[in-house]
Amino acid sequence: MPRPRAAVPPPASPRPASAEAERLGTLSVPPLDFPTGSQGTQSRGAATAPALDASTEFPDDDLGALDFAGLEVSDVGIQLEHEASPLQGLLEQVAMLYANGADTQVAAILAEAREQHRQGALAERLWLMQLDLCQVLNQRAEFDQLALAFANAFEKSPPTWQIQPDACPAPAALRGALQFKGALEAGNDEGFAALSRALEQGRPGASLAWDFAKVTLIDPEGCARLAACFDQARQRRIGIALSGIDGLMSRLLPRCEAGKPEAEGCWLLLLNLLALSGDTAGFEEKAVDYAVTFEVSPPAWEPVKAVVTAVPERAAPAGDDAFCLSGQLAGERFAGLADFAALRNPVTIDLSRAARMDFSSAGALLNALTPLKTAGKTVVIRGANQLVAELLTLVGVSAVAQVLSPKR
């Protein structure tokens, strides 16, 4: 945000020049040049400042302390002043408008600007933004017409229409994972015996993999037994990686409504899974509902430190080891990304199925990726459409990750 400028005091009355001042006035001083302003700054001179020595050190910005939660475009006073390149400022303005859902305004601005800019890298990015807007809005006829004009303007092959599935692929079961057999019900002694044997044979610090993708039936008692297994794993310091828990979560949520105390075992398992997934907001909301329902103090959030972790359901199959995000990303907090990245380097994030990302989510992604950069990991973001890619560059994500253009 721009900082308020201090009031400029009136010029002081000139003082008589001393002999020393007259001597200094005869010295030859080289002209000082200053760079023109980039985003959020103004030009302070017409030339360039002397080059700094390569050993000059600057304090690192504390990017990890940034918190964009709840921000909207209107909440931030970003001034886009690009005296050297007005088109760059236009690209950033369009990116923020699109992030805020102003598709009609975005289309009008791009259409007008496109007629004026038909050469250069910045102009090409502008055209790609409008092509991707047509793709997102499913405007095939407009896309084809614009692609032909793109080829004529830039004398290169235009992007082609992409047919992309809306959702990320389901993650493959963990290699060597123990498949829970049968229903998650109290009477399934065989299924729970397998989990118990694995825990008894495991040593502290060991890791186990459990898969629940085939569970279709649950009851409160069975859920309580599984929650007890997680507690036992924590006590024994045994790591457990989970897969196939999306279906399990969808069966738990309808049974865990505030004011319905009939299924406490379901509540206990749901709170466990929310904690394992790193969903702080979801955990706190359900913890309050649990306290109201059972008239007890709400359970405390206990961060899981690589003891029991959930494999993100957004992770792509093992053959394409990427953290996949899809759809309209609004208020996204990237639960599970830290666990996904813990055992990987480089860390790949796939945005090819993400149609839009709002400003708050882009800031949250910056917060999530900065610790990975600090830890020395390489982060690669691939497949983002041009509208999303411009937003990521604007908020600074490109400083902590490589943002790769999709194959067109």
Side-chain angles (χ1 to χ4, degrees), residues 152-305:
N152 292 331
F154 296 97
E155 299 181 348
K156 62 170 57 177
S157 298
T160 57
W161 183 265
Q162 301 293 319
I163 300 177
Q164 192 73 265
D166 294 333
C168 292
L174 292 173
R175 185 174 301 175
L178 174 61
Q179 185 84 46
F180 188 85
K181 297 180 180 179
L184 191 64
E185 295 177 338
N188 185 4
D189 292 332
E190 180 181 355
F192 285 105
L195 301 184
S196 297
R197 284 195 299 271
L199 288 172
E200 290 170 1
Q201 295 170 4
R203 298 179 179 179
S207 296
L208 302 175
W210 293 348
D211 181 67
F212 295 88
K214 295 185 178 180
V215 173
T216 58
L217 299 174
I218 66 173
D219 67 17
E221 293 75 17
C223 292
R225 289 186 70 172
L226 181 55
C229 290
F230 293 146
D231 291 339
Q232 185 179 353
R234 288 189 183 92
Q235 294 168 5
R236 293 173 58 85
R237 304 291 300 174
I238 295 176
I240 298 179
L242 302 177
S243 62
I245 61 172
D246 265 6
L248 193 53
M249 292 280 284
S250 67
R251 291 171 177 83
L252 289 170
L253 287 170
R255 296 172 178 243
C256 299
E257 298 180 3
K260 296 183 178 181
E262 295 82 10
E264 185 173 8
C266 295
W267 283 89
L268 296 175
L269 180 57
L270 177 62
L271 290 169
N272 266 276
L273 295 180
L274 289 171
L276 304 181
S277 301
D279 187 353
T280 310
F283 177 91
E284 291 177 348
E285 179 182 353
K286 283 301 177 183
V288 172
D289 290 345
Y290 177 86
V292 171
T293 301
F294 296 96
E295 299 180 353
V296 295
S297 298
W301 169 266
E302 296 180 4
V304 180
K305 298 181 179 179

